[in-house]
Amino acid sequence: MKVSEPLELNGVTLKNRFFKSAMSETMAKGRNQPGEKHIRLYHEWVRGGAGVVVTGNVMVDRNALGEPGNVVIEDEKDMDMLKRWAEKGTEDDTHLWMQINHPGKQSPKTMSKEPVSPSAIPMGDALRSAFNPPRALANDEVKSIVERYVHTAEIAKKAGFTGVQIHGAHGYLVNQFLSPHDNRRDDEYGGNLENRMRFLAEIYEGMRRVLGEAFPISLKLNSSDFNRDGLTEAESLIVVEKMSEMGLDLIEISGGNYEQPKMSTGTDSEVFFLDYAQKLKEKVDIPVVVTGGFRSKESMEAALKKGHTDMIGIARPMALDPLLPNRIMSGDYEKITTRRLTTGIKGLDEKVGPAVGNVYYAMQLKRIAEGKGTQQHTNAWRPLLHLIATHGPQALKPKRRKRK
Ligand SMILES: Cc1cc2nc3c(=O)[nH]c(=O)nc-3n(C[C@H](O)[C@H](O)[C@H](O)COP(=O)(O)O)c2cc1C
């Protein structure tokens, strides 16, 4: 199986197996609307040749941001810019899918005085100084957030995006509803897995209703939360099975949350979450994208050949080299390395590691959008200073738990 082979998906053709995973651009200005930089960045990724390009997470509520500079789509005010984004992002038969998200309690202090969550469960000790404790959503608020997801998806389709992705991973609101740790509700949205899944299922059903049968709807899901009492692997498999029965078109597999950042550190293998994908493939017949850790053509083609994944999810390498898929397909490519950034001070690296990493990659996205070359280095100081400038000195406060 080659990375260049097309994939048929519910009546649409994806031109190859490259799936550029979501990376939050953090470039939105003013009312958190998209702008020229988004258009230039996505056009570069189109030039790069991936079959599917997923946007960074687009938020459904202006009052609930995950980071400064998130795009928010609540209404049609920015339709002209959205149409241009979609037009440039779908050139050359590229699929451009909008990732739709609400951060729930993972909205930092600098963004939310009182974030919301299924239940009033604060972040763990290690991150408590950076996030205000959440309040539990009322039942009617849950229903109105479902409508927000659906409405944002409807606007995406109207603008010309060719698919959507529900962000159900990485500890954000959908993931919080799924997690027995975060969700202690006693209404129809809490308790057993069927109830904890209801928020996700209603979002999916609402989207399907307004988007129609032929429009790709995908879900990014954690293989596991990697928390003692979070979503387990066994439950995650059941979620995929049920969503597949409901008609979901594709599942992207990741893992972890802010407290257990496995999405960027992985498990033991070079490519993260492949074991899970293998189990999933035995159980459920749905196109799967595994994301995390793909760096060499050999590992990509081996995973496709073994049938563990149908597409290759890649994020950070696409921030270092936006033309990567075409380079791989034309043979003009050496294995890309994503190195760990360091300040040279071990204690400081432990405190701010993943956050600094994300800022560094977001800085590369800005450089691509500005037509500048990307910078590959391991010096953490510039992204760290940028982090402090955006979030204040409390960015240095959270202590990360040592990884096991
Ligand atoms: C700067 C940055 C921003 C990210 N933003 C998102 C996001 O908005 N939504 C999402 O699902 N994942 C996001 N991710 C995670 C990636 O999609 C991906 O799951 C992770 O980086 C592992 O893949 P990789 O090893 O190919 O980078 C982000 C990662 C980075 C580095």
Side-chain angles (χ1 to χ4, degrees), residues 19-26 54-59 67 70 99 101 165-170 172 220-221 252-255 262-266 270 272-273 290-295 312-319 338 354-363 365:
F19 186 96
K20 185 254 138 207
S21 287
M23 273 186 285
S24 192
E25 310 87 10
T26 60
V54 184
T55 69
N57 58 172
V58 167
M59 297 301 177
E67 305 135 300
N70 284 145
Q99 188 186 61
N101 193 22
Q165 182 175 64
I166 303 166
H167 196 347
H170 303 171
Y172 295 111
K220 188 162 181 171
L221 187 71
E252 181 184 359
I253 297 305
S254 187
K262 298 284 187 196
M263 68 296 255
S264 48
T265 58
E270 181 205 341
F272 324 151
F273 318 122
V290 174
T291 298
F294 278 113
R295 301 295 179 262
I312 304 298
I314 21 176
R316 287 167 290 180
M318 296 289 283
T338 46
V356 161
N358 272 10
V359 172
Y360 163 74
Y361 286 102
M363 288 168 86
L365 301 187

Side-chain angles (χ1 to χ4, degrees), residues 103-372:
K105 70 177 177 181
Q106 280 190 167
S107 179
K109 261 185 183 165
T110 43
M111 310 263 96
S112 292
K113 252 193 182 151
E114 193 180 49
V116 294
S117 196
S119 306
I121 311 294
M123 300 289 272
D125 292 347
L127 291 179
R128 214 164 278 185
S129 59
F131 294 85
N132 284 319
R135 71 171 174 83
L137 284 161
N139 185 278
D140 60 337
E141 288 180 300
V142 177
K143 293 183 196 306
S144 80
I145 296 180
V146 169
E147 286 313 313
R148 281 180 179 272
Y149 278 79
V150 175
H151 191 49
T152 302
E154 196 175 14
I155 295 169
K157 183 179 178 193
K158 193 167 173 187
F161 287 76
T162 56
V164 290
Q165 182 175 64
I166 303 166
H167 196 347
H170 303 171
Y172 295 111
L173 189 59
V174 169
N175 194 173
Q176 288 162 35
F177 269 94
L178 291 172
S179 157
H181 172 79
D182 296 323
N183 183 350
R184 318 261 175 103
R185 298 177 74 87
D186 54 15
D187 63 1
E188 74 269 31
Y189 293 103
N192 61 26
L193 182 60
E194 191 184 343
N195 282 356
R196 282 182 277 123
M197 262 191 75
R198 195 175 307 280
F199 180 65
L200 167 62
E202 287 183 357
I203 290 171
Y204 171 77
E205 281 166 348
M207 285 185 180
R208 185 56 83 202
R209 200 172 50 243
V210 300
L211 301 175
E213 287 304 316
F215 196 80
I217 304 180
S218 65
L219 168 69
K220 188 162 181 171
L221 187 71
N222 277 358
S223 58
S224 157
D225 288 348
F226 300 96
N227 279 347
R228 215 179 315 140
D229 52 356
L231 185 75
T232 62
E233 188 178 290
E235 283 192 333
S236 166
L237 286 167
I238 298 171
V239 173
V240 182
E241 205 172 4
K242 299 259 185 257
M243 293 304 295
S244 167
E245 281 165 15
M246 289 171 69
L248 185 78
D249 293 303
L250 177 142
I251 182 92
E252 181 184 359
I253 297 305
S254 187
N257 48 42
Y258 282 12
E259 293 175 56
Q260 292 287 341
K262 298 284 187 196
M263 68 296 255
S264 48
T265 58
T267 45
D268 291 335
S269 51
E270 181 205 341
V271 178
F272 324 151
F273 318 122
L274 268 181
D275 295 348
Y276 171 91
Q278 208 172 332
K279 285 181 206 155
L280 180 61
K281 279 284 184 190
E282 282 163 16
K283 218 173 161 196
V284 191
D285 184 20
I286 184 171
V288 172
V289 180
V290 174
T291 298
F294 278 113
R295 301 295 179 262
S296 71
K297 185 178 182 183
E298 292 68 39
S299 65
M300 296 175 190
E301 295 207 322
L304 289 171
K305 199 168 159 198
K306 287 184 192 146
H308 296 166
T309 188
D310 296 287
M311 295 189 83
I312 304 298
I314 21 176
R316 287 167 290 180
M318 296 289 283
L320 298 178
D321 183 353
L323 306 184
L324 196 70
N326 274 340
R327 267 198 229 291
I328 294 176
M329 286 186 284
S330 68
D332 162 31
Y333 162 77
E334 284 167 30
K335 183 177 161 165
I336 195 156
T337 316
T338 46
R339 293 190 191 87
R340 193 163 285 211
L341 292 149
T342 174
T343 56
I345 305 169
K346 196 166 165 249
L348 190 56
D349 287 348
E350 278 179 9
K351 273 187 190 167
V352 295
V356 161
N358 272 10
V359 172
Y360 163 74
Y361 286 102
M363 288 168 86
Q364 305 314 310
L365 301 187
K366 284 207 179 73
R367 292 184 67 87
I368 298 169
E370 288 163 359
K372 299 176 185 162

